[in-house]
Amino acid sequence: MMETHSLSRLIAEISADLGDTSLLFQLIALMSCFLLAWFLSRTIQRYFATVEQSSGVFKIGVESFSRVLWPLLALVFLFFAKLILGKFQHTGLLKLFFPILSSFALIRFSFYVFRRAFVRDGTVGNALLLFEKVFATLVWLALVLHFTGMWESIFQALEEIILPIGKSKVSLLAILQGVASVALTVVLALWISALLEARLLLIPNMHSSLRVVLSRLGRAIFILLAILMSLSLVGIDLTVLSVFGGALGVGLGLGLQRITSSYVSGFIILFDRSLSIGDMITVDKFSGAVTQINTRYTVLKGSDGIEAIIPNEMLVSNPVQNLSLTDRAVVLVTDFTVAYDTDLDTLFPALIELVSQVPRVSSNNPPSAYLLRFGADGFELRVSFWIEDPENGRTNVISDVNRAILVLIRERGIELPFPQREITVFQAQAKA
């Protein structure tokens, strides 16, 4: 004869308490747990909303954890309430709400872990939203199976389904448990690595390249440990990985040299600090600001908005111009020609004073004016100036300087010589 379902027992226990003060005490305890958890979670959120930026790590963690805080606190208070009231009376109502609140807390906590592990740019993708809905549905379905008493029957049925894998036979339950353990450990590893990355980004005196390399190494180590741990939990002998390691070595020797070189070059770039996020560099025919430094490639964003994906091997084996390695200041020049009757002694000071007033021109390194050569049409002049923010573009500031020089030349009546050509057309006379 089938056992009485858990839900039926709880309902019978609650029905027996109807008209008794024990049910009233359970209702009061339940409402007190909810209200106390809500009040405490709001208090913690308001407190850490006013914390100074120096405590930013804990502040960010609590703000992200705010949606999980209330159900977890309520679950803790409900556990102690059930433990205390259980010594004096029945606690059927608290037992009914305990798995429900546990499932709700599990869903909220899982969503928090998923988003910290997989969301990078602050935008939650549709695939993650769909996965969260599927996960929540599975959790509530497991709760229903727990209440109806079908959980153990389903486990037994899955264990009786045997699947042949090679020369071995494995139950479907063992396969599902292995997949679940691998997924759980990998997600936890990604979550811990995301927490490590967030903590490293908040260290003010650490070089950006060192932050990136530590976060990348931490993620790789955590994922490797998670996979090894999950394989051990499933019961797979780790010595079989030696075969995989040999196959990987052969693959690296035959066709993965460039890929492996890019990965190794990525760590070299991060370790030697030759590039940092925000640097303006030129490599081969690509130039722009470094926006990402990954283990295999680096992303350059040009002034036209086009992003170039550069393999890290290319940044190590080819010459690279870094406009902001030790100093972000960059010198720019503009050349023009004036007539030979121009008074250069009065023009040069005026040019220097004028260019100094152009926005973005550095005041630490004043502009300079030079006479380059005596050209065929007049004096060939050069004005050089410095800027300290090359990431904001160079063509625009050169244009501003040229326009200012043009206004000065027109005000002083200075001639800008240019080659002139005369074309004479001869018309042949027609014969009579």
Side-chain angles (χ1 to χ4, degrees), residues 165-183:
I165 300 179
K167 297 181 180 180
S168 303
K169 294 183 179 181
V170 184
S171 65
L172 181 59
L173 179 61
I175 296 177
L176 294 178
Q177 288 177 341
V179 173
S181 63
V182 172

Side-chain angles (χ1 to χ4, degrees), residues 2 5-6 103 106 137-159 173 176-177:
M2 184 179 298
H5 295 161
S6 301
S103 301
L106 175 61
T137 303
L138 293 176
V139 172
W140 291 123
L141 180 60
L143 179 65
V144 173
L145 295 176
H146 167 73
F147 277 136
T148 56
M150 299 176 59
W151 187 260
E152 295 182 358
S153 301
I154 292 179
F155 262 70
Q156 184 176 0
L158 292 176
E159 192 172 4
L173 179 61
L176 294 178
Q177 288 177 341

